[in-house]
Amino acid sequence: MRYSAGHKLETKEKLLQSSSLSAKKTGFSSMGVDGLMKAIGLSGAAFYSHFSSKDDLFAAIVERELCQSLERLGGQGKQDRERLERCLKLYLNMAHVEQPELGCALPALGAEIARSDIVVREQAELWICKLQESWAQILESDSLAWAILSQCVGALVVARMLASPKIQQRVLNSCHEEIGQQLAASRVQ
Amino acid sequence: MRYSAGHKLETKEKLLQSSSLSAKKTGFSSMGVDGLMKAIGLSGAAFYSHFSSKDDLFAAIVERELCQSLERLGGQGKQDRERLERCLKLYLNMAHVEQPELGCALPALGAEIARSDIVVREQAELWICKLQESWAQILESDSLAWAILSQCVGALVVARMLASPKIQQRVLNSCHEEIGQQLAASRVQ
DNA sequence: GTCTATACGCCGATAGAC
DNA sequence: GTCTATCGGCGTATAGAC
């Protein structure tokens, strides 16, 4: 082998990272294999040494991204409400609206995941359910966990569609405020 | 003119309707001009008698769809909470999850709208704000209106990513239930 | 593992006949 | 307004040299 043992792993990792960013920014279907490889300094044909098809790459991106989202949002081990509220504040943030490439894949790739084949959706379901379970444990409410998750994803989808930063900010503030009230209500209950 | 006066309008309307359904189902970027025209029994070249470019069509689809969503959800003239709650029940429904082509454009095209140029996003903002204002009037709360709107859109994005109908249903039920509590809380306040 | 070269189809868009 | 024919580019994917 003309290349070192770890080289393939490194290349694949670089490709995954670069592709994930691009997919969240411009949409997966809008990316070409050639452009993806050029972005990491390789030719288009080299792509097929790492993935059998473009769809195969998408499955890998989804798994990687959702695993990462779970780490960021659900955390490992026991959590508490305070840490959850800090996560929500980071999630419902203008920086997150303006930089989809650095943020959660659910608002950015949700529609494309929804249109993927069953294998990808089962992967997505796995990680999304893990995140929901993590939140449900903290909140002691299954339905509240689903509701807040949906609201966070929706807030970013809605805000990113808007043209003016002021209204985007108002969407984020509103969701943050209303979630705060839901959390407070669930605490005294 | 070899074609009747209303012919062009009818054809354009048929094209808009057919394209809107396809866009919500498979995503706008995945559609080809040729396929869109074949779907209404015309050749691909005839497209350019109605729209100057594919992007021009997307702008028209967004305007048409969001205007329609406003009619369905915001209604014209005065509304009341009961009618709003009936709308939410229809929105947070498995039929809506399973048939994106018949439903709201916000969950289906949100990410693509977000990536469009400023003109499209200004259009989107216009209609979304009208819807929010309509709800805010009923609910007597700006932030609650934004929060519920986000939650509804997010619920559909999340549910459609999932593989199993049972969990999809649970997402819808959870959001419906939690929104119900938010509405009740805002009523007594 | 990566390269160049290439196959082959679909893409958006235009030209010109009717 | 719609058609057929066509252009030039880019899409995914493969073949074979190194």
Side-chain angles (χ1 to χ4, degrees), chain A residues 110-129:
Chain A
E112 284 181 288
I113 293 173
R115 294 175 192 125
S116 298
D117 68 52
I118 183 72
V119 180
V120 172
R121 296 207 314 283
E122 278 169 353
Q123 270 289 333
E125 182 172 286
L126 195 75
W127 293 105
I128 292 171
C129 284

Side-chain angles (χ1 to χ4, degrees), chain B residues 155-167:
Chain B
L156 267 108
V157 172
V158 171
R160 284 183 184 150
M161 279 189 280
L162 303 176
S164 84
K166 283 192 181 179
I167 312 186

Side-chain angles (χ1 to χ4, degrees), chain B residues 4-151:
Chain B
S4 72
H7 180 81
K8 180 166 184 177
L9 266 176
E10 278 176 27
T11 301
K12 187 166 182 173
E13 170 59 25
K14 212 191 303 179
L15 171 57
L16 260 177
Q17 165 125 21
S18 172
S19 306
S20 293
L21 296 198
S22 301
K24 289 189 286 182
K25 190 173 188 177
T26 70
F28 180 74
S29 69
S30 82
M31 307 189 308
V33 168
D34 217 69
L36 288 177
M37 298 306 287
K38 263 191 189 143
I40 60 167
L42 295 177
S43 76
F47 174 85
Y48 297 94
S49 297
H50 302 281
F51 295 98
S52 66
S53 70
K54 207 192 157 198
D55 280 346
D56 191 19
L57 169 65
F58 187 61
I61 288 177
V62 168
E63 180 170 15
R64 179 195 154 94
E65 282 293 321
L66 297 197
C67 169
Q68 194 172 316
S69 283
L70 177 63
E71 281 175 11
R72 287 187 192 174
L73 296 170
Q76 51 286 22
K78 283 288 180 189
Q79 282 233 80
D80 58 4
R81 283 175 108 96
E82 275 186 27
R83 192 172 120 71
L84 172 57
E85 287 181 33
R86 282 197 303 275
C87 286
L88 293 179
K89 191 155 193 150
L90 276 174
Y91 200 97
L92 299 170
N93 196 289
M94 280 300 283
H96 195 184
V97 172
E98 289 161 353
Q99 299 179 312
E101 67 274 18
L102 301 181
C104 177
L106 298 179
L109 300 180
E112 283 180 288
I113 293 173
R115 294 174 192 127
S116 298
D117 67 52
I118 185 71
V119 180
V120 171
R121 295 207 315 281
E122 278 169 353
Q123 268 290 331
E125 183 173 284
L126 195 75
W127 294 105
I128 292 172
C129 284
K130 279 186 187 176
L131 177 57
Q132 184 269 343
E133 283 162 19
S134 162
W135 285 7
Q137 195 178 1
I138 302 168
L139 301 172
E140 296 171 339
S141 164
D142 248 44
S143 67
L144 185 57
W146 280 122
I148 291 178
L149 178 56
S150 298
Q151 195 165 337

Side-chain angles (χ1 to χ4, degrees), chain A residues 26-42:
Chain A
T26 70
F28 180 75
S29 69
S30 82
M31 306 188 309
V33 169
D34 217 69
L36 288 176
M37 298 305 288
K38 263 192 188 140
I40 60 168
L42 294 178

Side-chain angles (χ1 to χ4, degrees), chain A residues 2 8 43 49-50:
Chain A
R2 294 170 51 212
K8 178 165 185 177
S43 74
S49 296
H50 302 280

